[in-house]
Amino acid sequence: MNNIVFCLHKKAGLAACLFLCAVLTTSVKAQEWKFDATTQRAYDLVLNLQTEEAHALIPTPETPQEHYIVALAEALELMITEDVEKFSDYEDRFEKRQERKSKLSSPEDLFLQAEIGLQWSFIYLKYGHEFDAALNLRQAYQTTQEIKKRFPTFNAIKKTSGLLDIIIGSVPEKYDWVLGLLNMEGSTELGLKELSSIQDTDHALAFESSLLYALTQGFVLEQTSLALTEIKKDIAANPTNKLALFLGASLAIKNSQSEEALRFINKLSEQSQGLPLYYADYLRGEIYLHKGEYLNATSAYRAFIGNYKGVNYMKDANYKIGLCYWLNGNSSDAKVIFKQAKTIGKESAEADKYAARSMAENELPHIKLTKARYSTDGGYYDEAKKVLASITTQELPTKRDQVEFAYRKARVAHKTNDLSTAKEFYLQTIKINGEEPWYFAPNASLQLGYIALAEKNTTQARDYFKRALSYKKHEYKNSIDSKAKSALAQLNESK
């Protein structure tokens, strides 16, 4: 049960959690979801993380709409701040809202139940209550199905069911039997269609559905360029919305456009109202690491560490500070920080897991290969090529170094659309890697699958995606397996 919940939630990472809890809205009249003036204003405030102002507008919630707005504000506070002191109080309020279902059965009341169940499935997962997360996810799914059966013209539920379809449809195949036991099934293709059916209309949930569509394309289906194009439209329509800017920065980084991400982060920092997004400092650190501006990166990571109350990404942020010292030639301080970072935070987020594995190894990371990696990640391809071209055979003494060299060559070629070279080095990566428990070969297989898919070679694409799933243990197994499963599901649906 815990494994299935982990897979259902983790593919989005923190950016997804923030957004998924923020995009759930409410209000219905005549079988549709609408806002009156007060709830619209409160909703807009919450979506912009101005939760205190929203609470002031709705001090004593009564209607489903009012209950949802307050619940949404509470969920955002818990997800963003990881404030354990508020958890029990807000959990009590959540349980009281759940009791409404036994007394009322209108579509708006059921919609509220589905949405708060989905919210709290993510909250429970973040706070380490995996079994409760599973129960609430299943409750959200069942309530969603009930609404679709009893109120087929209630279009708002398409946002909820679309999201659930995509998440469930992306679960690795080995967990399908668990979904069967839970009587849950999903389809990424159907989920995208349902989101689009609201996104392109004047529906009250159109903006949220559009953000969800971008998030799903970028973090689940790996269509990061398309996702970034979509989120830019949302930012153009809502230039000061904090969640849109945050998601835009996250997607830009994922799409290797760190300069674009930095513009979004700087714009986000100008919005002083509402809950502070300290995770933006972590993203700023990532950007400066990509740029090779190690002092600026260190400063940004320290700002994140100093202000954030949670534990996720703490190990990675501390590790990255040590890495900045290491890449900047200060090996003595780097080693001290690496030692300290081993005891900090926990290993739930994949970035933290990777940091822990890296620090557990006897050898410190290869400086040139690491610089090439982060230059490529940030979209600084000329710098990455220059570093890779300077590496001699003598500078690659270990098998891991040799595998990573081929992999880095493949990645920069792929990012610059030199697909023949990319395929050559991805295949070389797989060959040299063998059965070693590194992520290079699994991700090389995944990327070869994406290339084959773009070239309309579905048979080869399917083979590569299955190969990516076949690797048993490596640093990014959950995310790579999820992406491969999503791609295979789309191939099966398109037959």
Side-chain angles (χ1 to χ4, degrees):
M1 180 70 74
N2 290 352
N3 285 336
I4 187 67
V5 177
F6 183 88
C7 290
L8 286 171
H9 294 77
K10 279 299 182 180
K11 56 181 61 62
L14 179 59
C17 286
L18 283 174
F19 177 69
L20 292 176
C21 283
V23 298
L24 310 173
T25 55
T26 49
S27 183
V28 176
K29 285 185 180 179
Q31 294 236 19
E32 201 38 77
W33 196 261
K34 297 178 182 178
F35 292 108
D36 62 23
T38 300
T39 53
Q40 180 67 62
R41 174 59 180 157
Y43 164 74
D44 291 339
L45 288 169
V46 171
L47 200 61
N48 200 42
L49 307 184
Q50 294 175 262
T51 57
E52 288 188 10
E53 293 91 332
H55 283 304
L57 280 178
I58 310 176
T60 55
E62 296 181 2
T63 67
Q65 297 92 325
E66 292 171 342
H67 273 289
Y68 177 77
I69 296 300
V70 175
L72 175 59
E74 293 167 358
L76 276 171
E77 289 171 23
L78 291 177
M79 293 298 297
I80 291 173
T81 65
E82 290 192 25
D83 190 340
V84 295
E85 294 180 0
K86 289 184 177 180
F87 179 86
S88 295
D89 183 29
Y90 286 175
E91 184 181 35
D92 289 340
R93 298 183 193 181
F94 161 62
E95 290 172 350
K96 289 179 181 178
R97 292 187 185 102
Q98 282 186 309
E99 295 173 1
R100 292 171 54 88
K101 186 178 181 181
S102 62
K103 302 174 183 178
L104 303 168
S105 59
S106 66
E108 58 263 52
D109 281 296
L110 291 174
F111 185 55
L112 172 63
Q113 296 302 316
E115 295 283 5
I116 64 174
L118 188 57
Q119 286 180 18
W120 273 83
S121 71
F122 282 94
I123 292 170
Y124 278 131
L125 184 76
K126 191 175 185 67
Y127 284 77
H129 304 284
E130 289 87 356
F131 186 74
D132 288 326
L135 291 179
N136 280 277
L137 187 76
R138 186 168 184 266
Q139 175 266 314
Y141 177 84
Q142 291 177 323
T143 305
T144 296
Q145 297 305 308
E146 180 182 352
I147 294 172
K148 294 180 77 173
K149 182 178 180 179
R150 292 178 56 193
F151 306 100
T153 62
F154 186 67
N155 290 326
I157 198 60
K158 291 181 179 179
K159 179 181 70 65
T160 318
S161 61
L163 176 57
L164 284 166
D165 262 320
I166 294 166
I167 293 174
I168 296 169
S170 301
V171 172
E173 189 172 352
K174 67 178 180 179
Y175 295 122
D176 282 349
W177 66 275
V178 182
L179 293 178
L181 289 176
L182 296 173
N183 195 26
M184 295 167 61
E185 58 183 20
S187 161
T188 55
E189 184 176 7
L190 176 60
L192 288 172
K193 287 181 179 178
E194 289 195 311
L195 289 178
S196 295
S197 72
I198 299 179
Q199 171 189 5
D200 299 325
T201 68
D202 59 355
H203 196 283
L205 305 180
F207 177 59
E208 300 93 309
S209 296
S210 182
L211 290 175
L212 272 175
Y213 185 86
L215 181 146
T216 304
Q217 289 285 5
F219 290 98
V220 179
L221 304 179
E222 289 295 292
Q223 300 297 317
T224 53
S225 181
L226 171 61
L228 189 56
T229 298
E230 291 294 324
I231 196 62
K232 284 181 180 179
K233 296 177 185 177
D234 296 321
I235 293 173
N238 300 272
T240 61
N241 183 273
K242 294 180 72 172
L243 282 173
L245 288 167
F246 176 82
L247 183 55
S250 300
L251 285 169
I253 289 175
K254 190 169 180 60
N255 200 46
S256 299
Q257 292 181 238
S258 282
E259 290 298 319
E260 185 84 81
L262 187 58
R263 284 192 285 273
F264 290 140
I265 291 291
N266 288 337
K267 184 68 175 178
L268 182 61
S269 67
E270 296 173 5
Q271 315 305 315
S272 59
Q273 73 281 4
L275 293 172
L277 271 171
Y278 295 124
Y279 183 72
D281 290 319
Y282 173 86
L283 294 182
R284 191 188 296 274
E286 297 287 277
I287 293 166
Y288 283 126
L289 177 58
H290 297 164
K291 290 168 69 73
E293 297 182 12
Y294 302 121
L295 293 180
N296 287 334
T298 297
S299 178
Y301 288 129
R302 289 196 188 282
F304 169 69
I305 293 166
N307 291 304
Y308 192 54
K309 294 181 179 180
V311 294
N312 290 302
Y313 296 90
M314 280 294 176
K315 185 178 293 294
D316 183 64
N318 280 275
Y319 167 71
K320 294 283 180 59
I321 291 174
L323 197 61
C324 286
Y325 279 108
W326 174 248
L327 296 177
N328 211 26
N330 188 341
S331 60
S332 57
D333 285 343
K335 291 176 182 178
V336 171
I337 294 171
F338 286 146
K339 184 177 180 179
Q340 294 171 346
K342 291 180 180 181
T343 63
I344 294 173
K346 61 180 183 179
E347 298 174 32
S348 294
E350 286 201 325
D352 292 321
K353 291 179 181 179
Y354 182 81
R357 281 202 181 195
S358 298
M359 290 184 290
E361 295 176 355
N362 293 326
E363 297 294 329
L364 290 170
H366 192 290
I367 289 180
K368 288 187 176 181
L369 289 175
T370 303
K371 287 184 175 181
R373 170 191 178 176
Y374 288 116
S375 293
T376 302
D377 287 349
Y380 305 105
Y381 303 127
D382 289 341
E383 181 61 29
K385 289 178 180 178
K386 186 186 303 182
V387 173
L388 290 171
S390 73
I391 298 175
T392 65
T393 304
Q394 291 73 25
E395 293 177 280
L396 303 170
T398 69
K399 181 178 179 179
R400 182 185 173 94
D401 290 341
Q402 293 159 18
V403 174
E404 184 172 1
F405 179 71
Y407 178 77
R408 298 298 166 207
K409 296 276 282 189
R411 292 301 291 148
V412 73
H414 194 175
K415 290 287 189 177
T416 53
N417 208 35
D418 183 358
L419 297 185
S420 60
T421 301
K423 286 190 281 189
E424 175 189 348
F425 282 104
Y426 279 138
L427 290 170
Q428 190 178 117
T429 298
I430 294 170
K431 181 179 179 180
I432 302 173
N433 188 99
E435 298 302 317
E436 298 289 352
W438 305 321
Y439 75 93
F440 305 121
N443 203 45
S445 300
L446 180 70
Q447 299 304 323
L448 284 168
Y450 288 136
I451 293 173
L453 192 60
E455 295 174 343
K456 310 299 183 183
N457 190 337
T458 56
T459 299
Q460 190 176 74
R462 185 174 283 104
D463 289 341
Y464 280 126
F465 292 137
K466 288 181 178 179
R467 178 188 282 246
L469 289 167
S470 71
Y471 292 91
K472 302 302 180 185
K473 293 182 179 180
H474 54 85
E475 299 96 320
Y476 294 119
K477 182 165 179 59
N478 285 314
S479 63
I480 290 175
D481 279 9
S482 177
K483 293 166 188 174
K485 172 64 181 350
S486 297
L488 284 170
Q490 284 191 298
L491 282 172
N492 293 334
E493 291 169 3
S494 63
K495 284 184 178 179

